[in-house]
Amino acid sequence: MAARPAGPRLTGLGSGVLCAAVMFAVACLDLLLFGGSPVVYGVLFLPVSVLTALWVRRGDLLTAPVVVPIGFAVGVLPVAEGDGGILGTVMGLVTALATQAGWLYGGTLLAGVTALVRRATLARRTAAARRTALVRGVRRVGGAGAMRGARERTARGGRTTA
């Protein structure tokens, strides 16, 4: 049996909060070290997108491509250039999102592809487990009732395959 990849298993909301917090911290560091370089922010967004898709739990896999752009938008606030005030900040945010759309789309695509690959791998494992269970005579994966029924049929001399 293959080992599970290391890392936390976050809910969809948790992965969104993590992505937003990490991207905000990245933007603050970018502002301190590089003067708010949009290229540095965009390049660092790509691995955060992949990690977000890798760390989300199975049931919430399809939320990864949704929360990643939100994390990008939250994180871009410190590096967005605005004149001051609420309207200036909003205008700087909109401008930053428009000019950095390539990084945003690239990170979202990476998160989506990573989530789809994980989903396909999980589906293949589940199908293989079901085939193995059917070969052994168990009608459904897991559950003590199926195993008990297979043992009882075997004890009576009946067939164990479905």
Side-chain angles (χ1 to χ4, degrees):
M1 179 164 248
R4 285 181 58 188
R9 291 291 171 231
L10 302 169
T11 63
L13 179 62
S15 64
V17 169
L18 177 71
C19 182
V22 168
M23 289 313 300
F24 190 81
V26 163
C28 290
L29 284 173
D30 178 24
L31 189 61
L32 285 173
L33 299 176
F34 302 105
S37 170
V39 174
V40 171
Y41 180 78
V43 168
L44 292 175
F45 173 65
L46 300 178
V48 171
S49 300
V50 171
L51 287 176
T52 300
L54 285 174
W55 286 349
V56 71
R57 66 183 183 180
R58 293 179 203 183
D60 295 331
L61 268 174
L62 298 179
T63 62
V66 175
V67 299
V68 166
I70 296 169
F72 184 90
V74 168
V76 83
L77 283 171
V79 294
E81 296 177 9
D83 292 335
I86 293 175
L87 290 178
T89 303
V90 169
M91 185 61 92
L93 176 65
V94 169
T95 302
L97 289 174
T99 58
Q100 300 306 313
W103 295 112
L104 178 60
Y105 291 150
T108 304
L109 180 67
L110 282 174
V113 167
T114 304
L116 286 176
V117 167
R118 279 190 62 205
R119 181 113 172 153
T121 303
L122 290 170
R124 191 174 55 234
R125 285 184 190 163
T126 303
R130 285 187 180 145
R131 280 192 303 273
T132 303
L134 285 174
V135 167
R136 292 182 182 161
V138 179
R139 291 179 189 244
R140 58 188 163 100
V141 177
M147 292 298 290
R148 186 174 35 254
R151 282 193 297 264
E152 289 171 1
R153 283 190 300 276
T154 305
R156 289 191 305 242
R159 287 183 41 193
T160 59
T161 58

